[in-house]
Amino acid sequence: MREIDHPRAVRTRRRLIGAGLALPFIAWRGASAQSLRPTPACREAVGPARETPSQTAGPYYTPNSPQRASLVDPGEPGLRLTLLGRVLTTACRPVPKALLDVWHCDAAGNYDNAGFRHRGHLFADASGGYRLETIVPGLYPGRTRHIHIRVQAPGGRPLTTQLYFPREAANADDGLWQRDLEIALRPGAGTQAQAGQFDFVLEA
Ligand code: FE
């Protein structure tokens, strides 16, 4: 994904356009961009990024979730989702040990408000990277498909937001949905599992 926006790619494109080969390049770029559209994250080549938009936590946040990188137990229903990315500052620097506190409903659209099913927190690594295993949440009335998350740099203020899924029919009818908060789903997603990426940007 990142290579697409690299200056070298731009130079290559200019060369190709100059050589009359723009069409194949555009076709290639279109395919990649569609399947793995960059989130509004940092691109060192173009300067500082803006902070990830914040959104309401909604009524179902439970504090003190367990620390774990997997929010799904073996045998639990739901399409498996691997979500990975980085936590960066607006200056595109990694935020090591950033806290990511995640909660979402189950495959049937229900939140566990008594326990911690599909709830948990983890910490980014030294490069600001994180990897979360969970399921694609179900739908519940009035909302499109989404994941709630709170991201916080050590000693920083928390950013609460929600992540969305591309090409969901209910996105257009959900007043909270923002394209900038869509997960970039990787191509080749099957019926067994999906994988996606989202980079968070925090005001330094
Ligand atoms: Fe919700």
Side-chain angles (χ1 to χ4, degrees):
M1 179 178 84
R2 198 165 291 263
E3 303 88 288
I4 294 169
D5 298 296
H6 194 278
R8 197 166 52 218
V10 174
R11 282 199 299 275
T12 305
R13 177 167 56 174
R14 286 193 185 126
R15 275 205 304 276
L16 286 169
I17 290 170
L21 296 170
L23 269 178
F25 182 89
I26 288 164
W28 166 80
R29 188 186 192 280
S32 301
Q34 231 172 35
S35 51
L36 201 59
R37 192 177 59 80
T39 47
C42 282
R43 300 173 204 162
E44 283 86 340
V46 289
R50 65 185 177 87
E51 190 171 48
T52 299
S54 64
Q55 293 214 315
T56 175
Y60 303 124
Y61 177 67
T62 304
N64 304 314
S65 68
Q67 182 179 346
R68 54 187 176 180
S70 174
L71 307 187
V72 59
D73 294 326
E76 275 188 303
L79 180 61
R80 266 38 183 182
L81 171 69
T82 301
L83 181 63
L84 52 83
R86 296 178 78 195
V87 183
L88 303 159
T89 68
T90 50
C92 304
R93 300 214 169 81
V95 183
K97 297 184 179 156
L99 167 70
L100 300 107
D101 195 0
V102 183
W103 70 104
H104 61 76
C105 64
D106 65 15
N110 299 308
Y111 284 89
D112 178 5
N113 293 310
F116 291 98
R117 203 156 70 96
H118 306 314
R119 297 175 185 273
H121 71 272
L122 63 158
F123 293 93
D125 62 22
S127 306
Y130 72 92
R131 181 191 174 96
L132 176 73
E133 303 288 343
T134 190
I135 59 161
V136 175
L139 289 163
Y140 60 89
R143 293 300 320 275
T144 190
R145 208 179 300 281
H146 63 280
I147 292 174
H148 296 269
I149 188 161
R150 181 169 286 185
V151 186
Q152 185 175 16
R157 66 175 172 82
L159 171 88
T160 302
T161 193
Q162 302 184 33
L163 302 183
Y164 297 95
F165 292 78
R167 298 178 296 280
E168 283 287 333
N171 283 348
D173 298 324
D174 188 324
L176 289 175
W177 169 80
Q178 283 182 250
R179 191 176 296 281
D180 284 354
L181 292 171
E182 279 189 354
I183 295 166
L185 287 177
R186 287 177 186 264
T191 52
Q192 299 300 312
Q194 290 211 325
Q197 176 172 347
F198 193 90
D199 294 340
F200 295 92
V201 179
L202 300 178
E203 208 79 65

